[in-house]
Amino acid sequence: GFSALYTGFLGSTMGLFVYRTSYFGLYDLGFPVFSTVNPAAQFIFVQLLAGFAAFITYPFDTIRRRMMVETIQSQKRYSGFVDCLRKTIKHEGIS
């Protein structure tokens, strides 16, 4: 139904918040150093920041996808974002 459209919304917003704050926070920290170097070094710096921000927010994306896929399946396994996170860590661990 209509509520299925918002399944995973909390994970999406939390992941987006963590991504943007880590990316722009680290950018602001590194900008004074990399603003005076050549453009190639600036490009590499920005790409490394984007990669790091994506790396730390990947768990949020995984939870969001699992909750979205669950709406298609007939069996409901998770009651919400926190429940999905807890069960994923319990059954698969943190690696």
Side-chain angles (χ1 to χ4, degrees):
F2 185 72
S3 64
L5 293 174
Y6 291 101
T7 302
F9 181 72
L10 178 63
S12 294
T13 54
M14 287 175 59
L16 183 62
F17 177 77
V18 172
Y19 179 85
R20 294 294 183 186
T21 54
S22 63
Y23 179 82
F24 288 117
L26 292 172
Y27 179 81
D28 286 343
L29 285 174
F31 182 75
V33 174
F34 287 95
S35 64
T36 59
V37 297
N38 63 5
Q42 291 176 355
F43 178 77
I44 292 170
F45 169 66
V46 170
Q47 295 306 310
L48 288 173
L49 285 180
F52 177 74
F55 174 75
I56 64 172
T57 57
Y58 191 76
F60 293 103
D61 192 48
T62 301
I63 300 301
R64 178 185 62 87
R65 289 176 194 268
R66 288 184 181 197
M67 292 181 67
M68 290 174 68
V69 167
E70 183 192 40
T71 60
I72 299 169
Q73 300 170 345
S74 60
Q75 181 184 7
K76 189 167 174 116
R77 297 183 299 183
Y78 310 116
S79 62
F81 178 80
V82 176
D83 183 51
C84 183
L85 178 65
R86 194 176 314 133
K87 287 180 180 176
T88 302
I89 291 172
K90 180 181 177 182
H91 295 296
E92 299 177 24
I94 298 174
S95 57

